[in-house]
Amino acid sequence: MSTDSTPNESPSPESTSTEPGPSILTERTLLGIFVHFIAILPFLGFVTAGIIYAVSEHEFTRANARNALNWQLLVSGSFLAVFVLVFGLGTLFEYVALPGVIETVVFVPVFALAFVSILLGFLNFFVWIVATAKAIFGDAWRYPFAPEFV
């Protein structure tokens, strides 16, 4: 029996040069993973996601920041639209006398938009968990219902 190494033997653990932990960060960055958590708050979220998207050079980070930015623009835009419509129309109807039926017809879509905004606000706390989990596993997940603003 010979002690010489043959080509069919597997290399010893000392001869492998793979780094299990840090090498994964060349494919995905921590900022690309945590951008979803950073961007969770409406109005502040689209600012931070936009800054990360603008300054990042890593494609994984940019893709995740773009997805988070698109979602936060949808959520923040819906809250802003409801705020402007409710207070703007309320103020308008204080100065302009309209029949109650017309006011009701005008405010029904506004209340529907308010309901959708509240649902998006609640959904905001769940989709960031999914997006963060997907980013951990290397996928830049597109948020549901979020149009491509960026």
Side-chain angles (χ1 to χ4, degrees):
M1 192 161 166
S2 169
T3 59
D4 293 334
S5 175
T6 60
N8 292 338
E9 290 183 16
S10 63
S12 65
E14 297 86 25
S15 67
T16 60
S17 64
T18 59
E19 298 176 36
S23 68
I24 201 167
L25 294 179
T26 59
E27 300 167 8
R28 342 178 237 257
T29 61
L30 290 177
L31 190 57
I33 293 169
F34 291 116
V35 69
H36 304 286
F37 180 73
I38 294 169
I40 191 170
L41 297 173
F43 299 112
L44 182 61
F46 75 86
V47 172
T48 55
I51 291 171
I52 292 169
Y53 178 74
V55 300
S56 178
E57 295 178 1
H58 196 277
E59 188 56 37
F60 180 75
T61 303
R62 286 181 60 83
N64 279 289
R66 180 179 55 248
N67 292 339
L69 178 59
N70 286 330
W71 174 257
Q72 292 304 327
L73 285 173
L74 174 69
V75 172
S76 298
S78 70
F79 281 119
L80 183 63
V82 167
F83 180 80
V84 167
L85 286 172
V86 167
F87 290 107
L89 289 174
T91 303
L92 177 69
F93 289 152
E94 284 182 17
Y95 295 107
V96 177
L98 293 175
V101 174
I102 293 178
E103 286 184 13
T104 303
V105 168
V106 170
F107 270 110
V108 166
V110 174
F111 288 129
L113 179 62
F115 181 73
V116 169
S117 281
I118 291 169
L119 285 178
L120 285 174
F122 284 124
L123 191 60
N124 191 34
F125 290 104
F126 296 107
V127 296
W128 76 266
I129 295 170
V130 173
T132 303
K134 292 281 194 173
I136 289 170
F137 290 105
D139 187 24
W141 184 65
R142 243 184 111 229
Y143 288 78
F145 315 117
E148 289 290 324
F149 294 116
V150 180

